[in-house]
Amino acid sequence: MAKPGTTSHVGARSGTESAETRAALVEATIATLRTEGYAGTSARAIARTAGLNQALVFYHFGSVTNLLLAALDATSLRRMEQYKAAVAAARGIDGLAEVAAGIFHDDLDGGHMSVLAELIAGASSVPGLGAEVGARIAPWIEFTEHTLADTLGESPLGRLLPAGEIAYAIVALYLGIEMLAHLDGDRSRAEALFATAQRLAGLMSALLPERGADRIDAASTEGSH
Amino acid sequence: MAKPGTTSHVGARSGTESAETRAALVEATIATLRTEGYAGTSARAIARTAGLNQALVFYHFGSVTNLLLAALDATSLRRMEQYKAAVAAARGIDGLAEVAAGIFHDDLDGGHMSVLAELIAGASSVPGLGAEVGARIAPWIEFTEHTLADTLGESPLGRLLPAGEIAYAIVALYLGIEMLAHLDGDRSRAEALFATAQRLAGLMSALLPERGADRIDAASTEGSH
DNA sequence: GTCTATACTTGGATAGAC
DNA sequence: GTCTATCCAAGTATAGAC
């Protein structure tokens, strides 16, 4: 059968307009997910947002679920790049807290985290979706873990806390905050929380040796674990 | 019009079987939400689980959404009672961590938290649902806040941390963990996290004065804030 | 109060014209 | 590659018999 959608398809042809249509559908999916939620993101709704025909969803992606995953991949990629750049520029644990707060704000506005939240939400209905979404979250936990290890790796606190578990907790917390903020449309509590986190991070950084502050570029060459 | 469903309805008649039917539908809703997820919890699916007719959902509750909220109310009430009893019996911050871990385990098995998570998930589709669910989460944040204040209220840590924000964070974290654990069906990471939390709480309680340990019954009579 | 039957709507997915 | 037209499944909700 060889459905076009799944992953690659033609896609990599010369400069065909097909790629543009695919991209437009992906963007429309993100926008629809953001404004209408998971349940409101049907092939018809996506096509309407994109100003395209509903049948194109199935021609290019095979199913709505596949398009949903493609959309998640797209935002994840973009966000990961931005996170990495922001984290690389941050100094110490208080710098990280600042980055987290700023990015949370961006995410709520841009709806990138919403896409993930909606997909997690909808994952319980479609059988295979949960595992697929889970696989796409794993890199975020790893990224958080590496960032943590690099920031407070050899400090007393770093030795006390298992980085993997803390990373898992941070991702879970971030996700939970997003969902709560999404519920009543009230992001003030979430923002107050990030403000407090920044304050506490400031306190902590004063107590800790400023590891990672001036050796960011050396991080990848270090094998100490 | 006076739809039967919304909140009260006849309900409080003598010993009518109507109440039993309502209860059966509520229980079936919880069970279905747990096994099929939000999207799979239709009036038909609920009725099938209950061994009843689909039309009864609308007769007794007016709409599926109302029944969903009734189910959330039911589990919330039950869980709140269990939480309060468990917390009242706990000693100090390490006792609380133990309670949290045990209850998390129960919740995953019993699916009480799943109901909330699914409803939060689905809330983005139905217009008014988000606010309704949010209103039902508020008591949990308050409960957590009171518990925190009572446990480490006058300790140095208690003075440093704003209880309201930490409570908000804890609820968000708990929710996020539940959603992540639900995703891939892997609860081992979550349980490892709770084990670590217990270990850390043990460390902290050794450093803090054991406030709240022997004055739980006096908590409600205290006005100090 | 509970059932059967059904009207109405929406969404996934495909066939086939262009 | 994109469109129109259409099939089919599943869901909400109501009417009316019992």
Side-chain angles (χ1 to χ4, degrees), chain B residues 49-137:
Chain B
T49 304
L52 292 172
N53 192 277
Q54 170 250 1
L56 292 174
V57 168
F58 303 96
Y59 176 78
H60 284 288
F61 295 91
S63 73
V64 176
T65 300
N66 278 340
L67 175 51
L68 252 23
L69 288 173
L72 178 55
D73 283 335
T75 59
S76 286
L77 187 65
R78 268 196 296 238
R79 282 326 260 174
M80 187 67 89
E81 285 170 2
Q82 292 177 279
Y83 273 61
K84 280 185 175 165
V87 163
R91 308 279 137 168
I93 194 174
D94 48 344
L96 279 186
E98 195 182 332
V99 164
I103 271 175
F104 175 81
H105 198 92
D106 287 352
D107 275 345
L108 266 189
D109 282 338
H112 300 278
M113 199 71 184
S114 295
V115 174
L116 178 58
E118 291 298 335
L119 245 39
I120 290 179
S124 52
S125 52
V126 185
L129 191 53
E132 295 283 355
V133 175
R136 284 160 177 83
I137 289 180

Side-chain angles (χ1 to χ4, degrees), chain B residues 144-168:
Chain B
T144 306
E145 182 176 349
H146 291 332
T147 303
L148 278 177
D150 193 46
T151 304
L152 32 90
E154 291 176 7
S155 72
L157 202 62
R159 296 200 174 282
L160 197 63
L161 304 174
E165 290 179 21
I166 304 298
Y168 184 82

